[in-house]
Amino acid sequence: MCGIVGYLGNQDAVSVLLNGLKRLEYRGYDSAGVAFLNDGSLKVKKKKGRIAVLEESLNSQNKRTTIGIGHTRWATHGRPSDENAHPHYDCTKKFAVVHNGIIENYAELREQLQARGHRFASETDTEVLAHLIEEAYRGDLCTALRDAVRQVRGSYAVVVLSEYHPDRLVAARKDSPLVVGLGDGEYFLASDIPAILPYTRNVYLISEGEVAELTLDGVRIVNSKGEPVAKEVFHVSWDADAAERGGYPHFMLKEIFEQPRALRDTLRSRITPWGDDVVLKEISLSPEDIRSFTKITIVACGTAYHAGLVGKYVIEKLARLPVEVDLASEFRYRDPLLDPRNLVIVISQSGETADTLAALREARARGCRVLAVTNVVGSSVAREADEVIYTWAGPEIAVASTKAYTTQVLVMYLLGLLFARERGTKTPAEIAEIIAALQKLPGQMEQVLEQQDLIKELADKYHACEDVFFLGRGLDYAVAMEGALKLKEISYIHAEAYAAGELKHGTLALIVEGVPVVALATQADVLEKLVSNVKEVKAREGTVIGICLGNNELVDGTSDHVIRLPESPSLVAPILSVVPLQLFAYYMAAARGCDIDKPRNLAKSVTVE
Ligand code: AGP
């Protein structure tokens, strides 16, 4: 997820661009850049680091310019660096582009372009757009952009500035957001509304497949067929802060609702176009390597650790390979039994958690291959691991991790499928069936999110409770652990997750009248057992909130409240069943007036022991 801006008008374009980029830093902040016309020639200035670093480098920029584009990056392809920052030039340096999204077929496009003599200056997927526009250009910038994006598979919001057309900007979008700001004699383009709020509250929301051309005479929008589109003006009533949160009251709620997009982005280009196999080109584990591993050890902290718990169940189920999961703070001091035939997987949203980084170093010191799953390109964990798989969740601002968790879990499934294929423990048909279930998840998650009001009602009813228990068996137990942490860390309610079969070995003593117990009941093979545990709770007058797949009369008949998830195979249920728990925690904390995005005593990334 990156932030893009464009400006055309009568103000100093560079200052408008920088101001807009600062308001989009929540969309990405590992590098930034601007392109503008100076005495008719196209200039690009871009720097690794925050926007302040770019601003510093621009101080020597002394010519006033009234047209430009800008970008603040959250790296997906190519580490954060000056060269990989946007904007990107074509070979002739007559075109500059900024892009938000992921070009799935960039590798083949790059190869074809290089074979036709194009020279690349970066490792990014975006740069192919600049060269495609260069090739397609026959005098009309808008047509060139339309021809270029027609060759692209993936997601994009792209803005183009050309030296040949000092009077206009052109832009296109597919799957990534883009708005046009309508000022008084000036026009704006941006990924998101906050960037343009200081200048105008009147915008056009660009729709899928549309291309916009901005000149001082106005804005012309065409659809993918080139037909003119008449747009309604959308008047923005949010204040700047609310706009940064996309209109949501908290970043956490915004990020919960971003999960379908984050899942789609993380899946993108990691499944064959015909959807029958997993493709993890970013790792160099050979089939022999995969077959040679005798054990996998997953190491992480907090929510990432809970994603690892799901990973254990999933990888063992699919690849029949022993998987142990350990807290990084324990692993690093327990003199772990490891040898070079072990694969160690470290999971970390920030890629900077001290305990996880120390565990990674411990594993490498013992000769293990280390694979990192992280959300931050170029983070310490990414740099020090042998292999890296990125979650493409975009920046996660709220301390309570949500979209990072579900995308980490998704990567666990992809690894499980890869290992199952190479170890021959699942047939191609079985693999394709699981992939089909994974590809349905973003849409199914959108259905789950539609139940937010029901979940809010439950939170309003139970937010005064001082103890909540989460029960589950198998994969549901792993998700119950995450549900308990979410509730604890933002509502400050004591919450505990328990293996449902373990309840009667002690904790049942704490279940008395009115104590809420969230029972996850998505695992068909142990459903009856889970329901009997729920009956144990009911017999002690506990209050049960059941979470199940579809219409499950077993759970209906025993729970006080039921949250139904779309029918899906039990194996992939965790990515859906965690969402009601995230929303429950959010609304419990909201009802208790807690500081949801910045809970007391906690930090987003624990970079100390
Ligand atoms: C999760 O909601 C917490 N904020 C915390 O447990 C977090 O998951 C943990 O600190 C690990 O962080 P990392 O993923 O950045 O390594």
Side-chain angles (χ1 to χ4, degrees):
M1 186 158 88
C2 304
I4 61 179
V5 291
Y7 177 72
L8 170 64
N10 41 38
Q11 296 188 64
D12 171 43
V14 170
S15 51
V16 173
L17 296 174
L18 290 172
N19 195 14
L21 290 177
K22 285 173 189 165
R23 290 165 169 273
L24 294 183
E25 271 204 309
Y26 66 90
R27 297 181 62 86
Y29 40 76
D30 61 43
S31 51
V34 291
F36 47 89
L37 291 178
N38 228 343
D39 292 338
S41 67
L42 185 58
K43 293 271 184 277
V44 167
K45 280 274 186 188
K46 54 188 187 175
K47 281 283 180 198
K48 178 183 175 183
R50 306 294 293 240
I51 290 165
V53 175
L54 171 68
E55 195 161 24
E56 192 58 37
S57 75
L58 281 163
N59 277 347
S60 59
Q61 138 66 23
N62 49 21
K63 286 261 191 279
R64 193 172 183 283
T65 171
T66 58
I67 186 169
I69 59 178
H71 185 276
T72 184
R73 188 170 183 237
W74 184 262
T76 53
H77 295 75
R79 72 204 185 297
S81 67
D82 292 359
E83 298 73 25
N84 289 335
H86 303 205
H88 289 287
Y89 275 128
D90 68 304
C91 300
T92 67
K93 298 200 172 183
K94 300 295 185 189
F95 303 92
V97 302
V98 289
H99 163 240
N100 171 35
I102 295 170
I103 297 179
E104 290 179 37
N105 60 334
Y106 86 96
E108 56 204 80
L109 288 172
R110 184 184 175 111
E111 232 173 270
Q112 291 159 12
L113 286 160
Q114 284 173 320
R116 295 197 290 268
H118 289 267
R119 297 172 311 287
F120 281 74
S122 80
E123 305 159 315
T124 67
D125 56 333
T126 298
E127 193 182 347
V128 298
L129 282 172
H131 296 283
L132 289 173
I133 291 163
E134 174 198 350
E135 274 198 351
Y137 183 70
R138 298 284 181 278
D140 182 294
L141 194 56
C142 200
T143 306
L145 175 58
R146 282 180 50 227
D147 292 348
V149 293
R150 209 172 280 133
Q151 303 170 65
V152 158
R153 254 200 344 265
S155 59
Y156 53 79
V158 53
V159 184
V160 186
L161 172 61
S162 169
E163 193 170 293
Y164 296 132
H165 297 272
D167 63 339
R168 69 196 58 216
L169 294 176
V170 293
R173 74 147 291 183
K174 175 179 172 294
D175 291 343
S176 291
L178 188 66
V179 296
V180 172
L182 308 166
D184 182 8
E186 55 184 5
Y187 297 93
F188 307 80
L189 281 157
S191 306
D192 216 346
I193 284 166
I196 56 176
L197 269 189
Y199 308 101
T200 179
R201 288 184 173 275
N202 295 323
V203 301
Y204 287 148
L205 304 175
I206 303 300
S207 306
E208 278 300 279
E210 291 181 346
V211 176
E213 184 171 43
L214 282 64
T215 66
L216 286 179
D217 297 333
V219 179
R220 186 172 73 90
I221 296 171
V222 297
N223 61 22
S224 52
K225 298 191 195 74
E227 299 153 345
V229 172
K231 276 286 180 192
E232 291 281 307
V233 175
F234 172 73
H235 181 78
V236 180
S237 55
W238 300 330
D239 65 26
D241 277 353
E244 227 180 78
R245 294 188 298 267
Y248 289 98
H250 298 98
F251 275 109
M252 182 180 176
L253 192 60
K254 176 172 182 264
E255 288 157 7
I256 288 171
F257 277 80
E258 280 180 343
Q259 291 182 110
R261 191 263 319 143
L263 290 175
R264 289 191 180 96
D265 282 352
T266 300
L267 261 186
R268 214 180 280 282
S269 73
R270 289 169 171 158
I271 302 288
T272 53
W274 37 94
D276 68 345
D277 204 353
V278 63
V279 177
L280 287 174
K281 281 185 278 200
E282 59 260 60
I283 58 176
S284 59
L285 294 179
S286 68
E288 295 70 35
D289 291 334
I290 290 173
R291 285 192 285 272
S292 69
F293 292 130
T294 55
K295 177 177 76 169
I296 292 178
T297 301
I298 301 176
V299 188
C301 300
T303 285
Y305 167 74
H306 296 151
L309 291 175
V310 175
K312 169 184 168 63
Y313 282 95
V314 167
I315 296 171
E316 285 188 346
K317 189 114 184 135
L318 294 176
R320 306 312 296 156
L321 179 64
V323 179
E324 62 177 17
V325 192
D326 208 345
L327 290 166
S329 53
E330 290 295 303
F331 174 87
R332 62 186 293 200
Y333 296 114
R334 68 173 169 84
D335 192 11
L337 293 172
L338 292 171
D339 70 46
R341 292 169 305 157
N342 300 162
L343 172 67
V344 173
I345 299 175
V346 294
I347 305 175
S348 175
Q349 187 284 131
S350 62
E352 301 301 341
T353 298
D355 284 325
T356 307
L357 194 52
L360 182 158
R361 290 169 180 160
E362 185 65 27
R364 296 210 68 196
R366 293 167 186 257
C368 299
R369 261 332 246 281
V370 177
L371 184 152
V373 178
T374 183
N375 195 40
V376 183
V377 175
S379 59
S380 301
V381 153
R383 286 198 308 275
E384 296 191 27
D386 300 296
E387 313 286 345
V388 186
I389 298 179
Y390 289 112
T391 51
W392 288 334
E396 190 175 67
I397 311 295
V399 164
S401 185
T402 51
K403 61 180 182 174
Y405 171 81
T406 45
T407 51
Q408 287 162 0
V409 169
L410 183 58
V411 171
M412 294 296 109
Y413 285 100
L414 295 174
L415 280 170
L417 289 167
L418 173 70
F419 275 62
R421 183 187 73 205
E422 297 307 347
R423 298 170 66 90
T425 50
K426 286 293 175 191
T427 66
E430 289 170 322
I431 289 172
E433 194 180 334
I434 295 164
I435 288 174
L438 294 177
Q439 290 182 304
K440 283 191 192 138
L441 288 174
Q444 292 178 318
M445 187 183 276
E446 283 159 348
Q447 292 173 39
V448 179
L449 289 166
E450 287 167 9
Q451 300 192 58
Q452 72 178 115
D453 293 342
L454 163 65
I455 296 162
K456 181 176 184 305
E457 277 168 32
L458 292 175
D460 290 343
K461 190 176 175 64
Y462 296 113
H463 71 277
C465 295
E466 286 312 309
D467 298 289
V468 178
F469 292 88
F470 292 76
L471 299 186
R473 286 175 174 259
L475 278 170
D476 280 337
Y477 173 39
V479 177
M481 297 278 280
E482 174 57 12
L485 175 62
K486 283 282 103 34
L487 185 61
K488 268 186 281 198
E489 65 175 325
I490 62 170
S491 74
Y492 315 143
I493 293 171
H494 168 253
E496 233 177 292
Y498 246 80
E502 190 58 16
L503 201 57
K504 54 189 165 301
H505 298 283
T507 300
L508 194 56
L510 296 179
I511 306 297
V512 295
E513 185 180 351
V515 170
V517 175
V518 180
L520 287 107
T522 72
Q523 299 305 298
D525 57 340
V526 287
L527 183 59
E528 303 230 340
K529 299 285 180 203
L530 187 281
V531 169
S532 63
N533 299 138
V534 168
K535 286 177 178 164
E536 290 163 15
V537 171
K538 288 304 297 166
R540 278 80 183 174
E541 307 295 320
T543 299
V544 176
I545 300 170
I547 297 179
C548 62
L549 295 171
N551 290 317
N552 183 313
E553 64 290 340
L554 272 175
V555 177
D556 274 346
T558 51
S559 301
D560 299 279
H561 311 281
V562 180
I563 296 168
R564 287 184 188 74
L565 306 174
E567 285 289 1
S568 77
S570 293
L571 181 68
V572 304
I575 290 182
L576 297 175
S577 59
V578 74
V579 175
L581 308 186
Q582 295 169 342
L583 289 171
F584 184 63
Y586 174 81
Y587 285 115
M588 290 283 265
R592 292 166 71 104
C594 298
D595 183 353
I596 291 172
D597 284 337
K598 297 190 177 71
R600 68 186 182 204
N601 310 339
L602 302 181
K604 182 58 187 168
S605 176
V606 183
T607 55
V608 293
E609 270 204 55

